[in-house]
Amino acid sequence: MAKLAAKNSPQSLRSKYLELLRRGLSQAADELIEGALAGSSLEPEQIYLEVLMPAQRSIGRLWASGDLSVAEEHRATQITLAQMDILRRAMKPLERSGKRAITACHPDDPHAIPCRVVTDFLNRDGWTVDCIGCCPPVEEFVAFVHQNAPDLIAFSATMIDGAQGLRTYIEAVKRDKPDLPIVVGGAAFAAQPELLDDLGHDAFARDILEAVQISRELVGLPNRTTDLDTLLTLIGRRIQELRARKGLRQQDLAEKAQLDRAYLSTLEHGKQNLTIGAMLKLANALHVDVAELVRADGPSTI
Ligand code: B12
């Protein structure tokens, strides 16, 4: 039973997926992800954010350490793009909100995949999204914004230069449309938060789920995390992530928290309306604040 749970965990799927990326086995990657969608209790959103994205970051590390060539990294990235497409289709979109967004990154920052990720998750949340990836020159971008009349712009920055360059774009957009909300996010800001100083944006989101939440707030849509299922899923993922970080098996954590392992399993899958008492026991067993359990970050390392 424990073996089965481990087999279906995001961590084990991630290691298998990374190995296929390294070896460039695209068909096997199709089979692995399709199999996980069909046969495990993991949601497509979870596979997307907790399997594909960390694996991409690992590919970056392998490339940086010389363990993968540039061509092998490119091949891995193409495989992941194909899987993102499969998962995007598997995610059930929520009711259309009537809101429109543009997602983009700076032209000097060729990392357009994060724009695609923000796009997929806003789409899932009911937005209509124009994903343009790397921006055209500033005047053309402003004209595009004018023509498409979005309710929000989400800028992503992976490279430091890209993050700095966004200032010019934000200034130009704000000159034309001072009230158009702009949310920013991405690895560059996570690495150097001071890049956010005087950037001119309206909000910064630490991760994709937070971006979706903040975007809703910025345009006055009701917050969907008040939806019980979403909240329970977020809490479940958080418990699972904190447990994995401490190297604990479900059984270990259940014993420490004096909870039933099967109950913990349903909690981690967001299928159980947990009591405040259980939340407190888990927080104590994990040595974290209760508030930590309701944060929505995905794991950043494999
Ligand atoms: C694929 C890739 C490329 C591809 C990009 C393809 C594409 N269409 O995007 C290509 C080959 C073009 C590329 C080029 C380069 N790359 Co590159 N690349 C990567 C790699 C392996 C994966 C990127 C990726 O898709 N990650 C998955 C994403 C989605 O994860 P993420 O960025 O963390 O995004 C998450 C959050 O940040 C957040 N988020 C992101 N955006 C946003 C936006 C909003 C609004 C919000 C709320 C949240 C949010 O949500 C995401 C999902 O969880 C990374 C490794 C890595 N660590 O990511 C290196 C990496 C980013 N690249 C790197 C480098 C150095 C380069 C090059 C400079 C290499 C070179 N010498 O030529 C060039 C860039 C050249 C230039 N013109 O500047 C470095 C950057 C180091 C640094 N910090 O400066 C990395 C980290 C690799 C490494 N370990 O060294 N790269």
Side-chain angles (χ1 to χ4, degrees), residues 53 57 60 73-74 77 108 110-114 118 156 158 185-187 205 208 211:
M53 294 303 113
R57 291 190 275 268
E73 174 275 306
H74 282 23
T77 298
D108 291 345
H111 298 90
I113 291 179
V118 184
S156 161
T158 303
I208 295 298

